[in-house]
């Protein structure tokens, strides 16, 4: 059973920062591709970032490159998404995903259905 629990969302002003957390387990982080997607009302779900289960090999959407960083802490069994210089267009519900059998360093798998997914955490950025 793969359980993912996101936290860390909130409301910030443009230019601010937030760090999202996804509590999983060391075993999940070591064996699954891990990633973040986001969905804003009325918009399609967007793949944000992905991390290879080996700990290296990342993917970032062009819209977040240079501002967001995906990382993990195996000892804590937690995946992170550090988000800097947030902009109003980053406003969305952010979900943590896990999946096996895909190419982790590509953002393609983030678009697939049926990945393990958490309940989401809301990020709101005001101008």
């Amino acid at each position: 059973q793969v359980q993912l629990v996101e936290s860390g969302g909130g409301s910030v002003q443009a230019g601010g920062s937030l760090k999202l957390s996804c509590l999983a387990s060391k075993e999940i982080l070591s064996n699954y591709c891990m990633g973040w997607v986001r969905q804003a009302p009325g918009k399609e779900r967007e793949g944000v970032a992905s991390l290879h289960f080996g700990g290296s090999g990342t993917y970032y959407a062009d819209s977040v490159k240079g501002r967001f960083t995906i990382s993990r802490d195996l000892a804590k069994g937690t995946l992170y998404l550090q988000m800097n210089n947030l902009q109003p267009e980053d406003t969305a519900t952010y979900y943590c995903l896990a999946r096996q059998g895909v190419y982790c360093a590509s953002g393609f798998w983030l678009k697939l259905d049926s990945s393990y997914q958490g309940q989401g955490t809301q990020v709101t950025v005001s101008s």
Side-chain angles (χ1 to χ4, degrees), residues 47-70:
V48 175
S50 176
L51 178 65
H52 190 275
F53 52 80
S56 60
T58 57
Y59 159 85
Y60 293 98
D62 287 343
S63 57
V64 306
K65 278 181 183 176
R67 300 188 298 123
F68 290 12
T69 302
I70 189 171

Side-chain angles (χ1 to χ4, degrees), residues 3-7 21-25 28 36 76-79 96:
Q3 291 187 324
L4 307 171
V5 181
E6 301 98 333
S7 62
S21 299
C22 173
L23 179 61
S25 71
I28 291 171
W36 294 92
K76 294 183 178 180
T78 303
L79 179 76
C96 175

Side-chain angles (χ1 to χ4, degrees), residues 7-86:
S7 62
S11 297
V12 296
Q13 290 192 327
S17 298
L18 285 173
K19 188 173 185 178
L20 305 184
S21 299
C22 173
L23 179 61
S25 71
K26 178 180 179 180
E27 288 69 29
I28 291 171
L29 297 182
S30 301
N31 291 282
Y32 285 73
C33 295
M34 300 297 298
W36 294 92
V37 297
R38 65 187 181 185
Q39 186 154 25
K43 294 186 178 180
E44 288 190 359
R45 192 166 85 163
E46 178 185 15
V48 175
S50 176
L51 178 65
H52 190 275
F53 52 80
S56 60
T58 57
Y59 159 85
Y60 293 98
D62 287 343
S63 57
V64 306
K65 278 181 183 176
R67 300 188 298 123
F68 290 12
T69 302
I70 189 171
S71 64
R72 69 182 189 181
D73 185 328
L74 284 179
K76 294 183 178 180
T78 303
L79 179 76
Y80 300 103
L81 185 68
Q82 176 68 47
M83 305 185 296
N84 298 328
N85 191 22
L86 284 161

